[in-house]
Amino acid sequence: MYTIASARQALDSREISSQELTREYLSRAKEKNPTFNAFITIAEDEAMAAALAADEKIKKGEAGTLTGIPFGVKDAICTADIRSTASAKILDTYTPPFDATVIRKIRAQGGVIIGKQNCDAFGHGASNENSMYGAVKNPWDTERVPGGSSGGSAASVAADMCVYSIAEDTGGSIRQPAAFNNLVGLRPSYGRNSRYGIMPMASSLDTVGPITKTVEDCAIVMEAIAGRDPLDATTVPDVVPAYTEGLRESIKGLRIGIPREYIQDLPNNLQKIIDDAADAFRQMGCEVMDVSLPHTNYAIPVYYIIVPSEDSSNLSRMDGVRYGVRAHEKDLQNVYMQSRAHGFPAEVKRRIMVGTFALSHGYYDAYYKKAQQVRTRIMRDFEEAFNRVDVLLAPTTPTPAFKIGEKANDPLAMYKADIFVGPAAVAGVPAVSVPGGFVDNLPFGVQFIGPRMSEDMILRAAYHFEQATGHGKRVP
Ligand code: GLN
């Protein structure tokens, strides 16, 4: 079981070569994948070739932090020369001719892609059951979901089929699966990491970030992938802080707010996890206080109008003509209809229809525009809270991992699973989920939410919490 930090040490001291390490991970990934279904594609040849090149780099003393380390990539992220389906049959045969910027940066260092990970199709879901390549099983309990949409990315790290993953979070897809698998998952501030090559879901919310075993690993990946990108005009020019160096700095005096709207309905066993976390911080010399984010309840309705609206526009290019597997039909209308009918799962179709409706003439003001106005209120909630406290501490999810099938036929119940991950996404602020404890032997995550561009601070709070509690050490 390697972390990025321990793999780096082993590689640099020549205890192991990247080719040996990669072979070890490939064989574990192949052995475990029939059980968990975490990978759609295992890229064996590409991985071994990358490992060979990485060993050369290490020999020449040119290794970066991620050189030679096997990782996995969510299948909704483009990888040059490796099939990228977004878990939808419409892209069953799609092999991108280019890398997403974040992937290009890791590959340039000599990172080794083991394979492409199962997810809810185009990132739509919270359980990974909306994949057209089958559900993913949670390594902590194979009758339960691994979370979504980045379920394969989390399950494969939890089962040690790769050292870390790169995933996408539009409204919780990194944090919620991380929470369900006892891992660390960071949704960066909107604009911190390039979205270039991330298959777009909702362009005003999409972000890309790491799922890792430790907070330190998360900081290492962020240092490698963050920063401005001329290919994504929404990236910010702010310099990328030395996240790893900042982790060990003192958090004495840090003001931590617990939003009351996030805990008011928590059952006692989950409330205890939040109380214990608050105590841990008090013991570290932090000040813990109650805060309010009054518009929390509107985040899910707002999210589920804005996201389908932007979805319906973004996904229109998947029509069997511009992109996607083309149905064999005689006339254009039927090419479009049949390609989309067979290429998308029900949830994607639902969002395209809801979004098309919300954006249509006469309804735009009532839905999309209204949702954007309420979105501003949600942003202000956070701004006001951050006038009083430095960081917010909250549960990542309302429950631990639920059973496969439990919410599959109830879209609203599935949407409500996003209740605590949606608000930060809507506001564009960063949040990191870390292992918070266990209930009935299932992991439960807590998240730290901070103001825009405060990744260094929320990672520091997460690191001290991780070190003080040790919950992340437990593996399935
Ligand atoms: N559960 C959210 C949704 O279905 C997660 C999306 C995401 O972050 N990609 O929209």
Side-chain angles (χ1 to χ4, degrees):
M1 188 104 186
Y2 282 98
T3 60
I4 295 174
S6 71
R8 179 79 273 128
Q9 244 175 4
L11 288 165
D12 287 349
S13 65
R14 308 290 197 276
E15 206 177 285
I16 194 168
S17 70
S18 173
Q19 290 169 87
E20 287 161 343
L21 186 66
T22 301
R23 223 172 276 129
E24 178 186 326
Y25 271 92
L26 277 170
S27 77
R28 195 157 43 236
K30 285 194 289 188
E31 176 201 319
K32 290 187 173 180
N33 208 41
T35 309
F36 300 122
N37 197 26
F39 284 95
I40 291 178
T41 303
I42 295 181
E44 187 162 8
D45 294 345
E46 293 85 348
M48 287 314 299
L52 178 73
D55 280 332
E56 287 302 312
K57 262 194 182 358
I58 296 168
K59 230 181 271 164
K60 285 195 223 142
E62 291 170 0
T65 48
L66 300 174
T67 311
I69 300 176
F71 70 111
V73 182
K74 183 176 185 174
D75 219 19
I77 298 176
C78 291
T79 45
D81 304 326
I82 304 177
R83 181 166 81 128
S84 306
T85 69
S87 297
K89 292 284 179 184
I90 199 154
L91 291 183
D92 190 52
T93 55
Y94 180 56
T95 299
F98 67 100
D99 273 324
T101 296
V102 294
I103 302 302
R104 178 178 56 71
K105 288 181 171 180
I106 299 175
R107 274 180 148 178
Q109 272 205 23
V112 177
I113 299 179
I114 284 272
K116 299 300 297 289
Q117 294 155 331
N118 203 343
C119 57
D120 287 297
F122 290 105
H124 297 62
S127 69
N128 219 118
E129 291 164 291
N130 296 331
S131 166
M132 294 177 96
Y133 297 82
V136 175
K137 304 216 167 109
N138 188 320
W140 289 87
D141 176 351
T142 50
E143 286 182 7
R144 290 177 190 269
V145 304
S149 63
S150 314
S153 301
S156 54
V157 175
D160 203 26
M161 299 155 83
C162 56
V163 179
Y164 68 99
S165 297
I166 297 295
E168 162 274 336
D169 188 309
T170 299
S173 285
I174 287 176
R175 288 165 289 156
Q176 187 247 28
F180 283 3
N181 286 276
N182 210 39
L183 298 169
V184 176
L186 171 73
R187 172 196 170 86
S189 311
Y190 182 80
R192 176 72 285 183
N193 296 348
S194 171
R195 291 179 295 112
Y196 180 73
I198 313 304
M199 293 183 197
M201 181 175 164
S203 304
S204 74
L205 290 107
D206 296 344
T207 63
V208 56
I211 295 180
T212 58
K213 295 167 187 166
T214 65
V215 177
E216 183 184 24
D217 278 8
C218 183
I220 294 172
V221 178
M222 276 301 287
E223 274 177 23
I225 64 176
R228 203 183 107 67
D229 179 10
L231 297 173
D232 174 1
T234 61
T235 49
V236 296
D238 308 38
V239 286
V240 178
Y243 295 117
T244 45
E245 269 173 41
L247 293 179
R248 288 167 188 83
E249 279 169 27
S250 168
I251 55 165
K252 215 164 166 221
L254 197 74
R255 293 165 308 164
I256 296 179
I258 301 184
R260 76 180 74 115
E261 292 79 6
Y262 286 58
I263 55 169
Q264 61 200 10
D265 297 322
L266 274 191
N268 289 340
N269 54 355
L270 301 181
Q271 179 64 47
K272 180 165 184 318
I273 287 182
I274 301 299
D275 292 342
D276 289 350
D279 282 342
F281 280 105
R282 281 191 205 98
Q283 273 169 26
M284 290 187 276
C286 301
E287 207 183 317
V288 181
M289 60 191 104
D290 159 73
V291 292
S292 174
L293 298 169
H295 296 89
T296 297
N297 266 338
Y298 296 102
I300 292 301
V302 162
Y303 177 90
Y304 280 97
I305 289 175
I306 294 176
V307 169
S309 300
E310 297 184 10
D311 253 337
S312 68
S313 161
N314 276 327
L315 290 174
S316 65
R317 76 191 74 178
M318 306 286 163
D319 57 10
V321 176
R322 283 172 292 174
Y323 281 94
V325 177
R326 183 176 308 173
H328 294 288
E329 295 291 333
K330 282 194 228 61
D331 59 290
L332 186 62
Q333 182 75 7
N334 275 309
V335 168
Y336 287 150
M337 284 193 340
Q338 293 307 321
S339 302
R340 288 163 78 78
H342 294 294
F344 291 137
E347 180 61 26
V348 174
K349 292 175 188 166
R350 183 178 297 121
R351 300 232 187 155
I352 292 172
M353 288 189 277
V354 168
T356 305
F357 178 81
L359 290 180
S360 54
H361 183 72
Y363 293 109
Y364 181 92
D365 283 354
Y367 295 110
Y368 190 73
K369 194 167 156 211
K370 183 61 94 192
Q372 290 289 24
Q373 287 166 335
V374 180
R375 184 180 194 178
T376 306
R377 301 269 175 143
I378 294 168
M379 287 176 183
R380 279 201 204 128
D381 276 4
F382 281 103
E383 277 163 23
E384 273 160 35
F386 291 131
N387 285 333
R388 295 186 52 216
V389 298
D390 301 302
V391 58
L392 297 168
L393 163 67
T396 308
T397 58
T399 65
F402 44 90
K403 289 248 168 80
I404 292 174
E406 193 179 317
K407 303 182 200 285
N409 298 316
D410 185 349
L412 288 183
M414 193 68 86
Y415 297 169
K416 282 191 194 153
D418 297 340
I419 179 128
F420 302 146
V421 280
V426 166
V429 297
V432 60
S433 180
V434 286
F438 291 82
V439 270
D440 305 327
N441 282 318
L442 291 173
F444 188 72
V446 297
Q447 58 177 334
F448 299 95
I449 309 172
R452 276 183 60 72
M453 300 302 143
S454 70
E455 284 79 2
D456 50 347
M457 193 213 8
I458 60 173
L459 284 170
R460 188 177 311 130
Y463 177 79
H464 284 267
F465 177 73
E466 171 193 60
Q467 299 299 311
T469 60
H471 298 308
K473 293 210 179 92
R474 210 161 131 186
V475 295

